[in-house]
Amino acid sequence: MGKLAITGGEPLRRSPFTQWPMSTKEEADALQDVLTSTKWGGQPFPGKHADAFAKKFAAAHSAKYGQCVNTGTVAIQAALKAIGIRPGDEVIVPAYTWEGTVGPVLLINAVPVFVDVDPGTYCLDAKLIEQAITPKTKAILPVHLGMRFADMDEILRIAKKHNLKVIEDCAHAHGGMWNGKGAGSMGDLGAFSFQSSKLITSGEGGAVITNSLEYLELVQTYINAGRASLTDQFHHRTIGFNYRLGEFQAAVLGPQLDRLPQHAAVREKTIKHFESRLQNIPGIALLPPEPRITRLAPYGYVFKYFANKVNDIPRASFVAALQLEGIPCDGLFYEPVYKSSLFPVDAADFPALSWGREKPLDLRAMYSCPEADRAAYQEAVWFPHQLFLGTTADVDAIADAIGKVLANIEELRGLDHKAIRNQKLGRADRES
Ligand SMILES: Cc1ncc(COP(=O)(O)O)c(C=O)c1O
């Protein structure tokens, strides 16, 4: 029996951290309002709660227009349709992200082009974008991943130079600001998810924000079964789908948006304290500070683990040991999308992969993105945002647990444990 909980010792933390999602009387009242309203769906369009929320949400991110949709994946799909992505067009995406960033590109028979991530942010590396541009490239789809922004200054510059559209995947960035501008307001459209782990959640849900009335109209038509948009100044007609958000889901979003600045302030304080505790710890490196982020929106707190500085004990063992100490965290949280078991692309289902080629593009085999690999399989350690919504004592517990695991790291050498085996697998493939 060792000192670490994973080898039979006492866990450092037994009490739970802040639970997520959380709700207050405001959410209960809003739900009651829907319940008695007889208007539960998103039709007549727009629903009262969905409409009010979308307007406030857009304004909170310095955008003119907002539209709720039923998932973040659909938000990306609707945004791609709004900017006019057609079958066979190419869209530049980061290699290291959730599969839901890329799925919508394929779904509309466009072609995702993977670009590696910047090791300082784990977001799309703007320096590598231009070499991926071809005559078929129509858009760049950066993700503001974890706790950082993709370099929007560079991405917008490149997009302008090459006449490309930009969709920001802001599934991790609710309330985040870059140079004082809201996440999602800098590109042509921003796409958000309200899935249950996100910084604002309706269980499932999403939103699109934009400064263009025409894009808003296109999104509204597409997600409302092809009907005319509310303003219909541009008279777009398209085959659309029912991707509306229901009113029960919309109702719980408003109160959370009101609480977002307060949550952001708590997180800022606890994260500052956490980072002060993580200075000069061998084996741990913080992501470099980014002064252009003027409000942090950390869906996940992310740092780097360097096994070669910690007696070559792999990240899977370090993370599993931390989990057993009572600290929720993850290592293989994302992987290069094209390597993921959730990306079994069959070219027969996506005809554009074959167009104009002798053999279809083999998305699973044609890319090599070393930084995404390093983040996915060796370095990145993710902590869920709600751990930072409590007290500085909570984050002290995380730092203490890290210290404990590192001080007893040799206990992990050669250890076989289900938590370690699970950490070697992507999230979809783990044993429960
Ligand atoms: C980076 C990223 N993009 C897109 C999505 C898709 O959102 P949803 O799950 O709401 O469809 C998610 C969330 O799950 C995400 O994390």
Side-chain angles (χ1 to χ4, degrees):
M1 193 163 118
K3 291 205 172 99
L4 296 178
I6 200 168
T7 52
E10 270 297 298
L12 187 133
R13 170 95 178 192
R14 284 195 184 275
S15 55
F17 289 89
T18 304
Q19 298 294 297
W20 192 262
M22 59 168 66
S23 66
T24 66
K25 186 171 176 306
E26 275 79 46
E27 278 89 344
D29 289 347
L31 285 172
Q32 186 65 31
D33 181 64
V34 178
L35 200 58
T36 52
S37 72
T38 73
K39 296 200 171 56
W40 291 5
Q43 181 73 6
F45 185 83
K48 176 178 101 173
H49 288 273
D51 189 38
F53 171 78
K55 289 188 168 120
K56 260 173 93 169
F57 188 72
H61 292 83
S62 31
K64 281 191 192 151
Y65 308 107
Q67 177 60 51
C68 290
V69 296
N70 60 353
T71 67
T73 310
V74 158
I76 294 170
Q77 190 181 326
L80 290 165
K81 289 296 288 184
I83 59 171
I85 296 298
R86 309 289 309 255
D89 289 346
E90 291 180 2
V91 178
I92 290 175
V93 295
Y96 184 59
T97 180
W98 171 238
E99 289 77 359
T101 306
V102 184
V105 178
L106 284 169
L107 203 66
I108 62 172
N109 198 19
V111 177
V113 174
F114 291 98
V115 166
D116 207 353
V117 293
D118 180 329
T121 61
Y122 291 150
C123 298
L124 182 63
D125 189 339
K127 294 188 292 302
L128 305 177
I129 290 176
E130 282 191 294
Q131 64 204 51
I133 293 174
T134 75
K136 289 185 179 163
T137 310
K138 293 286 162 17
I140 311 174
L141 207 176
V143 183
H144 304 315
L145 195 85
M147 55 191 285
R148 289 290 180 259
F149 271 72
D151 185 342
M152 286 309 290
D153 301 349
E154 266 304 286
I155 289 170
L156 293 174
R157 186 189 66 75
I158 294 165
K160 195 167 172 198
K161 180 171 155 198
H162 295 273
N163 194 23
L164 306 176
K165 307 285 185 207
V166 176
I167 296 171
E168 297 171 66
D169 180 346
C170 305
H172 295 186
H174 311 66
M177 296 264 174
W178 173 265
N179 282 329
K181 289 194 190 126
S185 70
M186 295 167 275
D188 292 277
L189 298 110
F192 290 82
S193 161
F194 304 130
Q195 173 270 339
S196 54
S197 67
K198 299 301 181 331
L199 294 170
I200 291 182
T201 175
S202 47
E204 306 293 350
V208 173
I209 64 171
T210 180
N211 285 304
S212 155
L213 180 63
E214 184 167 11
Y215 289 152
L216 175 80
E217 290 193 355
L218 282 156
V219 167
Q220 285 184 342
T221 298
Y222 186 62
I223 65 120
N224 189 25
R227 293 184 176 89
S229 67
L230 294 169
T231 43
D232 201 24
Q233 288 187 17
F234 294 89
H235 306 293
H236 289 295
R237 294 295 179 273
T238 172
I239 291 187
F241 301 88
N242 177 2
Y243 288 150
R244 299 180 300 258
L245 187 70
E247 280 289 275
F248 286 109
Q249 287 164 306
V252 297
L253 292 168
Q256 294 177 72
L257 181 57
D258 294 340
R259 282 200 298 277
L260 194 60
Q262 181 200 330
H263 280 181
V266 174
R267 283 194 208 101
E268 194 182 319
K269 181 171 160 211
T270 52
I271 285 176
K272 203 166 162 198
H273 182 70
F274 186 52
E275 295 197 327
S276 75
R277 291 281 320 268
L278 294 184
Q279 297 300 318
N280 307 318
I281 299 191
I284 305 285
L286 307 188
L287 298 188
E290 171 51 87
R292 290 174 293 178
I293 298 178
T294 44
R295 188 161 75 194
L296 192 63
Y299 166 65
Y301 185 89
V302 183
F303 66 53
K304 297 185 183 212
Y305 172 79
F306 295 122
N308 62 356
K309 301 216 169 119
V310 198
N311 304 2
D312 290 321
I313 299 296
R315 181 190 61 185
S317 307
F318 170 75
V319 167
L322 261 187
Q323 289 171 337
L324 274 277
E325 293 300 331
I327 311 297
C329 59
D330 208 342
L332 191 40
F333 188 66
Y334 292 138
E335 53 192 317
V337 171
Y338 50 82
K339 289 189 175 178
S340 162
S341 64
L342 299 181
F343 200 69
V345 182
D346 179 341
D349 293 325
F350 306 104
L353 297 178
S354 307
W355 289 349
R357 298 170 219 279
E358 268 174 33
K359 281 205 317 210
L361 291 174
D362 183 351
L363 295 180
R364 290 185 63 82
M366 62 189 276
Y367 288 100
S368 164
C369 294
E371 295 303 339
D373 276 347
R374 225 186 316 277
Y377 303 115
Q378 291 170 34
E379 266 179 19
V381 181
W382 289 69
F383 298 87
H385 62 91
Q386 64 268 27
L387 304 197
F388 301 88
L389 270 186
T391 61
T392 49
D394 285 339
V395 295
D396 273 333
I398 309 173
D400 291 345
I402 291 168
K404 180 180 169 189
V405 172
L406 292 176
N408 298 286
I409 200 91
E410 277 303 321
E411 287 184 17
L412 301 175
R413 186 171 300 285
L415 187 68
D416 181 37
H417 190 284
K418 183 179 160 194
I420 300 177
R421 289 195 299 276
N422 265 342
Q423 268 302 308
K424 291 179 184 160
L425 301 171
R427 285 185 293 159
D429 303 317
R430 293 176 188 164
E431 277 177 62
S432 51

